[in-house]
Amino acid sequence: MLKLTTKQKGSFAEELVSEYLKYKGFKILKRNWYCTYGEIDIIAEQKDKLVFVEVKFVSNTKFCKATDLFTYKKRKHLYRTIGIYLKQHNLLRIDWRVDLLCVTYDRNRYWTEHYTNLSLGGS
């Protein structure tokens, strides 16, 4: 893999995930939604359900897996950001969920892992 900045790797992973989601029948509504509190990587829709997608990328599995990067602290932060999005868009009563999509690059290949309906969980 070429030497890329962290931001470039994130953009690349989000593009791969967007294409994957479209292939799986999701409609991409927004990418990189920001507010003063945080960012939501991808906001999509699947079967009348709003799906907030967190994208994680890892290129060296010796040290960690992409799933290890989605810590309780980061999940808590994301849930607060989602709350702001829902309130700002008057969507507090809509059905929604959080998905995690991990992109891993190792030994000259990429693969994705899709985890659906993640809860805030414990510490």
Side-chain angles (χ1 to χ4, degrees):
M1 179 175 196
L2 298 172
K3 295 286 182 188
L4 300 174
T5 67
T6 301
K7 184 173 178 145
Q8 289 170 324
K9 288 176 186 177
S11 294
F12 176 74
E14 287 172 10
E15 189 60 36
L16 285 176
V17 166
S18 292
E19 292 305 313
Y20 166 84
L21 291 172
K22 287 179 199 173
Y23 175 77
K24 292 290 189 177
F26 288 72
K27 178 181 177 186
I28 305 300
L29 303 176
K30 294 182 191 319
R31 286 181 53 185
N32 305 112
W33 183 84
Y34 290 93
C35 69
T36 55
Y37 194 77
E39 176 194 6
I40 300 170
D41 293 332
I42 298 171
I43 302 169
E45 187 176 56
Q46 183 191 40
K47 299 178 184 171
D48 296 326
K49 184 178 270 195
L50 202 55
V51 182
F52 297 97
V53 180
E54 178 70 12
V55 178
K56 293 296 180 190
F57 177 83
V58 68
S59 59
N60 188 340
T61 57
K62 271 188 205 178
F63 300 108
C64 72
K65 294 186 235 175
T67 53
D68 297 335
L69 301 173
F70 197 44
T71 63
Y72 171 74
K73 185 177 178 180
K74 289 186 181 186
R75 288 191 313 271
K76 187 175 173 184
H77 196 83
L78 176 63
Y79 269 77
R80 285 185 182 156
T81 305
I82 290 168
I84 292 167
Y85 177 87
L86 294 171
K87 188 172 183 180
Q88 282 185 3
H89 293 84
N90 199 25
L91 297 170
L92 292 173
R93 295 176 190 234
I94 197 164
D95 196 17
W96 61 275
R97 72 172 196 249
V98 174
D99 286 7
L100 171 66
L101 262 133
C102 300
V103 177
T104 303
Y105 175 77
D106 195 23
R107 297 188 180 133
N108 295 318
R109 69 183 185 106
Y110 294 95
W111 67 91
T112 59
E113 297 170 279
H114 187 174
Y115 302 90
T116 61
N117 205 25
L118 298 175
S119 67
L120 181 55
S123 59

